Amino acid sequence: MKIVTRTLSLGIIRPYYGKEVEGRIKAEKDNREKEFLAANKNLISDENELKKKAKEARKLDPAFWSALKKENPEIFTMRELSALFSQLQRQYALLYNETISKIYVEALKTRKLSRVQSLLSSIGYKKAYEAFKDSSLASGLRQKLQSNFNKSKFYNLINARISLPTATSTNFPVSIYRQTSSDKYAGFEIQPNKEDFVIKLTLPEFKIKENVNPKTKKKFLSFEFLKSQKKKEIFLLLSTKRRRQNDKQWFADEGTSAEIRKVINGDLKKEWAEYAKRFGKDKNEKDQLRNKYKIGWLEIRKGKKIGEKFRWFLNLVIELPPKMQRLDKNIVGGIDIGVSNPIVCALNNSLKRYTIGNNDVLSFNRHMQARRRILLRKNLFKRKGHGSNNKLEPITSLTEKSERFRSKIIERWAKEVQRFFLQNSCGIVQMEDLSNLKNKEDNFFNLFLRGKWPYAEMQNNIERKLSEIGIEVKKISPKYTSQLCSNPKCLNWNKWFTFAYRKENRFPLFKCEKCNLEVPADYNAAKNIANPKIEKITERLR
């Protein structure tokens, strides 16, 4: 059964300073809020507006942080943390580019993938360890390099079909792998804390230097990593955007917060222990399953979106055991991906169906692209030269808005599909394999909808949602599924019912010329996809 992998993205709020200092910060915020409410309670009549302004009054100014640093010189400020991550990011990107070029040159000599695996350790890991004197950072870089040297990418690289993937220092994530030795963690460790989510980073020891730019006369920080075995511990306070906006605790939220709650409470450990007990075949497999709850690596990255470019984020990857449901492997479901009806679901054992009839994503993307063209035309009349980021900001904002809307709608559709198959105890779901669709340049579906209809993203979301509840997902060839009659006693191949015919006739109902079955074309295709023997049937027609 497929294990569900989920990436959790959390914002790094600031360093965590321990109970004493954190208590003082909280007291200062509460005091400022009380003072604001006492002064403005009778002046602002709207209760919601008053709450909003009181929340803004809780924000601490730079003067408070400067005073806190003077009183507690040992604490690590957000300015220092941001400078440290920026330098780590630059060094990490430079090392990545240098090592991937060397590995590529060596790989060209032998043209063997097995040689690359040894080079990842002898060049990649060794270079990173020499630079940082830290096995966690070195293992993270090795894994990054390995992801670009899998079988398909390797042969495409050496045959010059794709270019060598390089990194830019502005957005390259820093990967940290957790190393365990004698029950002591190196790299990072999740700290038990009921109110906040805190992670302890164990980085190589460094020395902070304050420098001055000779041209601009501005001060900036730099870090010198010392070549010693000592480590520097930094505690990070993490949160999600929704939790910060709504002032919620980890124990009263859903989504990412629900997954974080499992990690903090130890519920994830209990779930894997129960799963190992039920499905582990032998002692070794049971031990491996029990340890799946551990978070093995994380990534630190800088925000890319507007309003997030000066913020830092931390990505965690957790593995979840499939939720065991009462499913029947003899009940097979089929999903047809369309345009006017984006998703149509059918079953092999009944006439039940589920149709999502309005393609909100396609219509929204069309409006967004039309708006984008208008903004691009307006840019022609703006002043040329510096300030291109400001000039393109409306377009970037529009693109981000479109991506957020699309992901939310597709997530909702995936949940609805999951609910339909779960209610009908479906054990296997078959979908069309559309991976080669983008390579067909003469395909109307691909050319007309390129950039507007994210069918691949939708299929991936549906597959992930179905895997979460233990439903097996199979990909089949889409050939002839729209032309076959879905009547199990007929299965006639209607050659005339091509895409060109449907397009000319404004996508009519499917009508079998042999048994006169008349049903919607999308449902007929979904019913064929749900047939467990569809691969064998279509193979005879080729």
Side-chain angles (χ1 to χ4, degrees), residues 72-249:
N72 305 275
E74 73 282 356
I75 66 172
F76 203 62
T77 63
M78 191 61 201
R79 175 174 172 253
E80 292 170 340
L81 184 71
S82 184
L84 173 64
F85 285 163
S86 295
Q87 185 168 322
L88 262 176
Q89 197 178 46
R90 287 193 297 271
Q91 286 184 248
Y92 219 70
L94 286 169
L95 273 171
Y96 174 86
N97 290 335
E98 184 184 342
T99 50
I100 201 170
S101 302
K102 286 183 179 180
I103 291 170
Y104 177 65
V105 170
E106 291 294 325
L108 281 175
K109 295 177 183 177
T110 58
R111 301 177 76 86
K112 289 181 180 179
L113 186 60
S114 56
R115 172 65 177 153
V116 172
Q117 299 302 321
S118 61
L119 291 171
L120 289 171
S121 296
S122 60
I123 296 178
Y125 181 89
K126 190 179 177 182
K127 273 274 183 187
Y129 191 80
E130 286 174 0
F132 300 114
K133 294 295 178 185
D134 186 80
S135 58
S136 301
L137 289 168
S139 297
L141 183 67
R142 187 193 185 283
Q143 194 65 25
K144 270 288 179 192
L145 291 164
Q146 190 172 3
S147 64
N148 287 305
F149 280 106
N150 58 30
K151 192 173 182 180
S152 60
K153 283 186 179 179
F154 174 72
Y155 291 112
N156 284 331
L157 269 173
I158 60 175
N159 292 315
R161 291 177 190 153
I162 59 174
S163 59
L164 191 67
T166 54
T168 56
S169 59
T170 53
N171 58 11
F172 192 67
V174 177
S175 296
I176 301 176
Y177 264 67
R178 183 162 73 170
Q179 313 288 323
T180 56
S181 175
S182 304
D183 297 328
K184 290 183 179 180
Y185 294 108
F188 65 92
E189 183 183 357
I190 295 169
Q191 297 292 296
N193 193 316
K194 290 184 178 180
E195 293 183 0
D196 297 300
F197 187 43
V198 180
I199 279 188
K200 180 180 78 175
L201 291 185
T202 309
L203 299 175
E205 193 179 17
F206 53 82
K207 188 166 65 175
I208 305 173
K209 293 181 179 179
E210 189 156 352
N211 306 302
V212 179
N213 190 317
K215 291 183 179 178
T216 60
K217 305 299 180 183
K218 287 184 179 180
K219 293 180 180 180
F220 67 94
L221 297 175
S222 65
F223 296 82
E224 182 187 348
F225 290 101
L226 306 175
K227 295 182 178 179
S228 68
Q229 297 299 320
K230 291 182 180 180
K231 301 294 179 184
K232 173 76 174 177
E233 292 180 351
I234 300 172
F235 295 86
L236 302 180
L237 181 63
L238 309 175
S239 186
T240 60
K241 184 178 180 181
R242 182 182 171 191
R243 178 178 177 268
R244 298 291 292 183
Q245 285 177 342
N246 300 335
D247 239 357
K248 290 185 176 181
Q249 299 296 321

Side-chain angles (χ1 to χ4, degrees), residues 35-56:
E35 287 177 1
F36 176 84
L37 290 171
N40 299 277
K41 195 172 183 179
N42 298 324
L43 299 174
I44 302 173
S45 57
D46 188 359
E47 193 176 337
N48 291 328
E49 185 69 20
L50 184 65
K51 284 182 181 178
K52 187 180 176 181
K53 298 261 185 177
K55 191 176 178 181
E56 289 175 3

Side-chain angles (χ1 to χ4, degrees), residues 249-289:
Q249 299 296 321
W250 293 112
F251 305 96
D253 209 346
E254 297 174 356
T256 299
S257 296
E259 308 301 345
I260 293 297
R261 184 170 63 245
K262 287 182 181 180
V263 175
I264 294 172
N265 285 351
D267 292 341
L268 188 62
K269 184 179 180 180
K270 291 174 186 175
E271 285 180 15
W272 274 114
E274 188 180 343
Y275 185 81
K277 188 178 179 181
R278 288 181 64 186
F279 300 100
K281 294 177 182 177
D282 51 40
K283 189 182 177 183
N284 289 335
E285 189 176 354
K286 284 181 180 180
D287 289 341
Q288 286 177 2
L289 290 171

Side-chain angles (χ1 to χ4, degrees), residues 168 174 217 306 315 336 452 454 478 482:
T168 56
V174 177
K217 305 299 180 183
I306 293 173
N315 291 346
D336 179 64
K452 300 176 187 174
S482 299

